[in-house]
Amino acid sequence: MKQFYGTSLSSPLMLGTALYPSPAILADAFVKSGASVATVSVRREAAGDAAGDAFFQLIRKLGVHILPNTAGCHTASEAITTAQMARELFETDWIKLEVIGHADSLQPDPFQLVDAARTLCAEGFKVFPYMTEDLILADRLLDAGCDVLMPWGAPIGTGLGLVNLYGLRALRAAYPDVPMVIDAGLGVPSQAAQALEIGFDAILLNTAVAKAGNPAVMAEAFAKACEAGYLGRYADPMEPRDMAAPSTPVLGKAFLE
């Protein structure tokens, strides 16, 4: 697996921490998932009240890497300020950079995203930018100093999977050495396996696990799907073909006239 800003992860699965019915269910889901990274909303925890402190201690006990995010930000300046708060609160330079530009689809604003990324990279942040599968946007983010890209599979919380396979494949092919995470839109484990099979290095999801009838079981299912997708990718899979090819050889078969 590729490194993320010099860090090797034990699992390609990253999990969000919102929407779970209880802290105990959240903790159980993380244990069953084997996830290597937990994303945490800065705005949720910045108040510093007793509940927020207890939540932070829970996440610490999970023993995973913490990836704060700037969820809910709509401008570069707002995201920059939130990221600076996150560095103090969580004591990490990692930041998942979200700058939302469209209220209904939660599509990121590419212009504000690049502006924020440029400033944060210059300040020493290790930026994980939430983006669309746009090649030009990818260029701009890499030029801004990002070493990781996080294209969406589909809009946040939809569960639609990899909506634009052509665009995602093109992005992966254009930057083969850049670590990439499919972030958002996955709903079932088979979609996670597909993302890893086509070359992505990790996946990040929240709603599909947190809102499942049994989050721990769904988390375990995603973990196994990630393993299957990762192994399938490196097993050198067969190429698709238009015509049928017999699996049983016909050499030596008797032909009767």
Side-chain angles (χ1 to χ4, degrees), residues 56-79:
F56 183 51
Q57 294 306 317
L58 170 64
I59 300 302
R60 283 289 194 194
K61 289 179 181 178
L62 295 174
V64 298
H65 294 277
I66 296 177
L67 178 60
N69 67 51
T70 62
C73 293
H74 294 267
T75 65
S77 60
E78 193 178 13

Side-chain angles (χ1 to χ4, degrees), residues 40-211:
V40 182
S41 171
V42 177
R43 293 191 164 198
R44 176 179 174 182
E45 305 309 322
D49 58 13
D53 185 62
F55 176 81
F56 183 51
Q57 294 306 317
L58 170 64
I59 300 302
R60 283 289 194 194
K61 289 179 181 178
L62 295 174
V64 298
H65 294 277
I66 296 177
L67 178 60
N69 67 51
T70 62
C73 293
H74 294 267
T75 65
S77 60
E78 193 178 13
I80 291 165
T81 299
T82 303
Q84 292 166 342
M85 292 170 56
R87 181 151 61 180
E88 292 187 17
L89 184 62
F90 297 105
E91 299 177 341
T92 179
D93 289 331
W94 281 22
I95 191 74
K96 178 188 170 186
L97 181 60
E98 295 184 32
V99 188
I100 301 302
H102 191 267
D104 291 333
S105 68
L106 301 181
Q107 180 171 325
D109 182 323
F111 308 103
Q112 297 290 316
L113 181 65
V114 172
D115 286 347
R118 184 177 294 110
T119 297
L120 292 174
C121 288
E123 293 183 3
F125 282 90
K126 297 174 173 63
V127 178
F128 293 68
Y130 167 61
M131 57 177 287
T132 57
E133 67 282 9
D134 186 287
L135 289 169
I136 298 172
L137 177 56
D139 262 341
R140 299 295 185 271
L141 289 168
L142 294 172
D143 288 344
C146 298
D147 289 344
V148 174
L149 298 175
M150 299 184 75
W152 67 357
I156 295 170
T158 61
L160 293 173
L162 307 182
V163 172
N164 183 4
L165 267 176
Y166 170 81
L168 290 171
R169 288 180 186 274
L171 182 65
R172 177 69 282 180
Y175 307 100
D177 298 324
V178 176
M180 291 192 194
V181 183
I182 291 292
D183 176 17
L186 301 183
V188 291
S190 58
Q191 296 164 351
Q194 183 183 31
L196 293 174
E197 283 175 355
I198 66 173
F200 288 88
D201 303 294
I203 63 162
L204 194 160
L205 66 148
N206 188 169
T207 309
V209 169
K211 300 299 286 183

Side-chain angles (χ1 to χ4, degrees), residues 2-23:
K2 289 188 177 71
Q3 292 190 332
F4 296 84
Y5 290 103
T7 297
S8 297
L9 301 179
S10 59
S11 165
L13 180 57
M14 306 179 180
L15 275 185
T17 55
L19 304 175
Y20 289 86
S22 73

